[in-house]
Amino acid sequence: MLNKLVIYPAVLCSLLAFSHAAHPEPLERIVAVVEDDVILEHEFQNEVVAIVQKLQSSNTPMPPDYVIKKQVLEKMIIERLQRHLAEKAGINMSEEMLTNSATEIAQRNNMTLEQFKDELQRQGMSYQAFLENMRNEIVINQLRGKEIGERIKVTDREVEHFIETEDKAGDGMGQYHLGHILIAVKEGASAEVIKKAINKAEQLVSDLRSGQDFTKAAMSVSDDDNALKGGDLGWRSKNDVPSLFVDVINKMKAGDISDPIRSPSGFHIIKMLEMKGVGTQMITKSKVRHILIKTNELVDDAEAQKRLFALKQRIADGDDFATLARAHSDDKGSALKGGSLDWVGPDDLVKPFQAAMDKLAIKEVSDPVQTQFGWHIIQVLERENKDNTSDFKKNQIKDIIRKRKIEEETELWLRRLRDESYVEIFQDRL
């Protein structure tokens, strides 16, 4: 068996030149070398066409061609570098997994897979191209989760500190639509490079405040991943942004452009596009108990259901649910409490259990319900609507802090990955 051929970037072009001399058939031109991979001209052009069509369909102002090409190529380089890392880490998606994911997407859109393929075709995208895009997105997300997400932790103290320092007025859950431009500066850049970057950022702020279109500016000059979206970060909770933006955003109103904000990645410019608030969060909580029969070599599904139907009949005849739970339930933790799971809220329980529980009247006992744990009969003792704003807010704040940490770390990680990798761009082929 032949070993995999490893071609080092430094000799790749000369090998291709030799191949061309030995075999005079026309070879497709290379636009960029990325580590031991290449971006071919047709791949680059296809991506440019796809991005242009997307911008046109969303009525986004079109920047000059050279700007689109620069941003598209940079996006492709970053994606290739991440895919390269993912392959080294053994992260991949099988064809079966991709097909299953596509089928789920089709079903969510009330289509069969064949209807979904036809709809993609109607919109000008091949099914194979869709699968490849989905593979790319899933693999990169898994890589980022492994490289970054697994290391991010949020403590209760951080939540408390956030409330004390950033949410004193209690309005931290407001929603804000933000635009963002990054003027990147490499780690360890010289004072002269940093000065040029801040001058560029300050001039851009002045131009934006004088009426320059933010979307066009972001697409033209931003070094952020969202450049091709016109720098649009979408709707976020007030502090669901990197921590260095927090004080600035607190003082902004719709339409404002921030001064340049320094970070290890460079200089950031924020535009407050829109603002809105949120209201009280109400949830329904249920006081519930159950009896669980697990299946095993001796107890199959039919036997488990039979036993539970018998227990349900005994309860209907007057036997005490709690007494039967203590004697028969395989959930030993709740059995000691008469089957009680105490008060539970939305998403506290697995979906089949939750769905069956939500349909029950007070004191009604369900038919046997199957979950991954076995078979259950369920009884709801009480229900109440509760103001869950406080808990909801704490959970949202945890998400905010986590997303903020991930975003800050991802920005640095991508910049470092790009700076430390071998990339050669053939400018005359763009």
Side-chain angles (χ1 to χ4, degrees), residues 24 86 275:
M275 308 163 69

Side-chain angles (χ1 to χ4, degrees), residues 89 91 141-151:
I91 300 171
N141 284 340
Q142 288 181 354
L143 173 69
R144 290 184 181 186
K146 180 180 176 65
E147 294 287 325
I148 299 167
E150 291 180 0
R151 296 187 280 107

Side-chain angles (χ1 to χ4, degrees), residues 152-155 159 162 173 236-237 239-241 391-407:
I152 302 298
K153 307 295 181 187
V154 180
T155 66
V159 173
F162 181 101
M173 301 311 296
R236 301 183 174 216
S237 58
N239 298 296
D240 186 11
V241 291
D391 289 342
F392 175 81
K393 186 174 180 178
K394 286 179 180 178
N395 288 333
Q396 289 292 93
I397 288 171
K398 275 190 176 180
D399 287 342
I400 287 168
I401 297 171
R402 178 175 171 77
K403 287 176 184 175
R404 177 188 293 175
K405 287 182 173 183
I406 288 174
E407 190 162 333

Side-chain angles (χ1 to χ4, degrees), residues 342-360:
D342 208 356
W343 288 96
V344 295
D347 303 322
D348 286 342
L349 305 169
V350 293
K351 288 183 178 179
F353 193 107
Q354 181 83 38
M357 181 187 75
D358 289 343
K359 294 175 183 176
L360 293 173

Side-chain angles (χ1 to χ4, degrees), residues 2-3 5 24 39 41 46 120 140 152 156 172 224 227 233 343:
L2 291 174
N3 291 328
L5 181 62
I39 296 175
E41 190 171 37
N46 288 345
L120 286 173
I140 286 175
I152 302 298
D156 290 340
D224 181 63
L233 296 181
W343 288 96

Side-chain angles (χ1 to χ4, degrees), residues 203-336:
Q203 183 59 54
L204 182 56
V205 167
S206 176
D207 293 342
L208 290 168
R209 288 173 177 169
S210 298
Q212 182 176 350
D213 185 272
F214 188 92
T215 299
K216 286 183 178 178
M219 295 178 73
S220 299
V221 303
S222 181
D223 297 308
D224 181 63
D225 278 354
N226 291 291
L228 287 170
K229 299 177 184 175
D232 192 344
L233 296 181
W235 283 96
R236 301 183 174 216
S237 58
K238 184 174 186 177
N239 298 296
D240 186 11
V241 291
S243 54
L244 70 160
F245 297 168
V246 172
D247 289 340
V248 175
I249 287 173
N250 283 339
K251 300 170 186 175
M252 294 177 74
K253 59 182 183 297
D256 281 356
I257 305 289
S258 74
D259 289 333
I261 306 166
R262 182 72 163 103
S263 85
S265 299
F267 296 93
H268 307 259
I269 300 167
I270 298 294
K271 180 173 183 179
M272 182 70 72
L273 301 172
E274 301 173 79
M275 308 163 69
K276 64 184 180 182
V278 296
T280 301
Q281 299 292 326
M282 299 296 295
I283 62 166
T284 299
K285 286 205 154 191
S286 303
K287 190 173 185 181
V288 64
R289 57 187 179 180
H290 79 134
I291 297 173
L292 169 68
I293 301 295
K294 294 181 178 179
T295 55
N296 52 44
E297 294 83 1
L298 301 176
V299 180
D300 60 12
D301 290 336
E303 177 62 22
Q305 292 178 77
K306 179 182 175 182
R307 293 185 186 184
L308 288 171
F309 272 121
L311 291 171
K312 179 179 178 180
Q313 186 59 51
R314 288 179 63 179
I315 294 166
D317 292 339
D319 282 8
D320 180 56
F321 189 110
T323 300
L324 293 176
R326 291 187 187 97
H328 298 280
S329 182
D330 289 330
D331 179 4
K332 299 308 178 185
S334 68
L336 294 172

